[in-house]
Amino acid sequence: MEITKIAVIGAGNMGHQIALCAALSGFQVKCTDTNTEILDKAIRFADDYLQERVSKGKLSQEAADQARNNIAFVPTVEAAAADADLVIEAVIENLAIKRKLFAQLDQICPAHTILATNSSYIVSSKIADATTRADKVCNMHFFNPALVMKLVEVVQGPHVSAETVELLMEAAKKMGKTPVLLHKEIYGFLVNRFLQATRQEALKLLDMGVASYEDIDTAVKNGLGYPMGPFQLLDLTGIDLAYHVSMERYRESGDPADRPSPTVVEKFTKGEWGKKVGKGFYDYE
Ligand code: 3HC
């Protein structure tokens, strides 16, 4: 089997860039979202981004037109996934919602279709039994911003076939990514385990009043050589995502240490979710 058609479900923070990245790499892509505002924003982003790449001299007009022709933004999951070889789910980090979506995809998609989740933390074995094709349900985890970040984590749960893994590794490479394979399911995979450790320490130092978030970012950037500080990165990946991920973890473990930090709860409640809404720790207006 060869993957040529990709459906991306969820056009938010990650989905819109995963879809565009796939279109730029020659896949036929259909992207959808239940929220029409988010879908409209994804369409505008695709048009603006491609034009900007042309203006910057990074892409020929012909390649930009080809990429735009390769991607369609459609209103329903059915329209996106009915003929896909690979579905990449990039919806909210909520297990019940993902299970419901995968059960629906299982009904809609042809028998050969691989159903991948871009979840940051939820392992695919928690979703696979909502379908009749557990061997084709797998984690394929991209990083934000997905058009730029090279890494993709493919996680081989015990139910995932070798063929599925191979096809996902190939698809990631064709998208210009550098995939790594995890032979076991583990919470946070590889990168988010490191990210979580840095982030928790940063939030703890802030909550203790040791330093401002600006100075913590400055320290991490200039002392460790990271491209962004932990608070800038929280703004980029979304404080709402950090909140949902911690809540999901806390619901599972019941361990108070897994609850979101007071600062994250405060920002989440105020709607200060980061760059995408114009304000997080920093102001983007
Ligand atoms: N979308 C698309 N492209 C973007 C972008 C965005 N949001 N932000 C920057 N870029 C592109 C620019 O167009 C530019 O491309 P070019 O060099 O080909 O012209 C290139 O990235 C560099 O951009 P800038 O010069 O404007 O800015 P920086 O050099 O500061 O780079 C950055 C921006 C790439 C975001 C860099 O700061 C970085 O690598 N930050 C760390 C990001 C990171 O750690 N991501 C992982 C988060 S964890 C995660 O995603 C896991 C998930 O489960 C939550």
Side-chain angles (χ1 to χ4, degrees):
M1 177 190 138
E2 195 197 347
I3 293 174
T4 59
K5 293 179 189 160
I6 296 182
V8 178
I9 313 296
N13 240 7
M14 296 297 292
H16 74 285
Q17 292 213 4
I18 296 172
L20 194 49
C21 184
L24 279 160
S25 313
F27 290 100
Q28 294 301 309
V29 183
K30 288 183 187 154
C31 178
T32 191
D33 200 292
T34 50
N35 183 326
T36 48
E37 262 176 47
I38 290 180
L39 200 58
D40 287 346
K41 202 170 156 193
I43 298 170
R44 282 198 303 276
F45 177 85
D47 292 337
D48 293 350
Y49 177 84
L50 291 171
Q51 221 34 68
E52 193 189 305
R53 300 305 281 170
V54 174
S55 309
K56 269 186 170 179
K58 302 261 173 168
L59 199 65
S60 69
Q61 187 64 53
E62 195 189 359
D65 292 344
Q66 185 60 57
R68 191 61 187 85
N69 284 337
N70 286 349
I71 189 166
F73 295 91
V74 296
T76 62
V77 172
E78 286 82 356
D83 64 349
D85 304 311
L86 165 63
V87 178
I88 303 174
E89 166 273 312
V91 305
I92 190 171
E93 289 290 61
N94 176 296
L95 180 58
I97 291 174
K98 287 187 195 287
R99 284 182 62 87
K100 199 169 158 208
L101 174 62
F102 273 69
Q104 185 191 3
L105 289 167
D106 191 38
Q107 298 287 315
I108 295 169
C109 295
H112 72 274
T113 309
I114 295 175
L115 306 180
T117 173
N118 177 56
S119 174
S120 300
Y121 291 90
I122 299 172
V123 291
S124 72
S125 58
K126 294 197 171 163
I127 304 172
D129 67 346
T131 75
T132 57
R133 59 179 91 195
D135 62 312
K136 296 186 177 66
V137 177
C138 191
N139 290 92
M140 184 185 198
H141 182 217
F142 293 79
F143 293 83
N144 193 336
L147 280 160
V148 181
M149 303 302 284
K150 288 279 177 218
L151 188 68
V152 169
E153 293 172 325
V154 176
V155 186
Q156 186 165 24
H159 55 285
V160 184
S161 72
E163 192 196 359
T164 298
V165 166
E166 205 178 302
L167 285 165
L168 289 182
M169 298 290 281
E170 275 311 309
K173 282 182 202 158
K174 193 176 161 194
M175 287 172 78
K177 303 299 181 197
T178 306
V180 293
L181 176 62
L182 278 73
H183 303 288
K184 283 182 181 181
E185 291 192 332
I186 185 165
Y187 180 81
F189 317 133
L190 299 178
V191 171
N192 275 338
R193 294 179 75 86
F194 294 106
L195 182 64
Q196 194 70 358
T198 325
R199 181 170 288 175
Q200 267 177 358
E201 194 55 33
L203 285 162
K204 193 167 107 191
L205 290 167
L206 182 71
D207 288 338
M208 284 165 68
V210 173
S212 67
Y213 60 84
E214 292 99 328
D215 276 354
I216 296 172
D217 277 349
T218 301
V220 170
K221 277 191 290 183
N222 293 294
L224 291 173
Y226 287 18
M228 279 182 161
F231 296 102
Q232 290 173 316
L233 197 50
L234 259 167
D235 276 359
L236 177 72
T237 55
I239 292 162
D240 54 330
L241 176 67
Y243 174 86
H244 287 305
V245 163
S246 297
M247 284 307 289
E248 192 73 33
R249 181 75 172 150
Y250 172 56
R251 267 194 289 273
E252 255 177 44
S253 70
D255 180 351
D258 289 331
R259 286 168 96 140
S261 90
T263 302
V264 168
V265 174
E266 189 194 323
K267 291 265 170 212
F268 177 76
T269 314
K270 281 189 184 163
E272 294 175 2
W273 294 355
K275 213 168 175 182
K276 65 183 162 190
V277 296
K279 184 163 174 51
F281 287 95
Y282 297 87
D283 218 319
Y284 300 91
E285 288 304 342

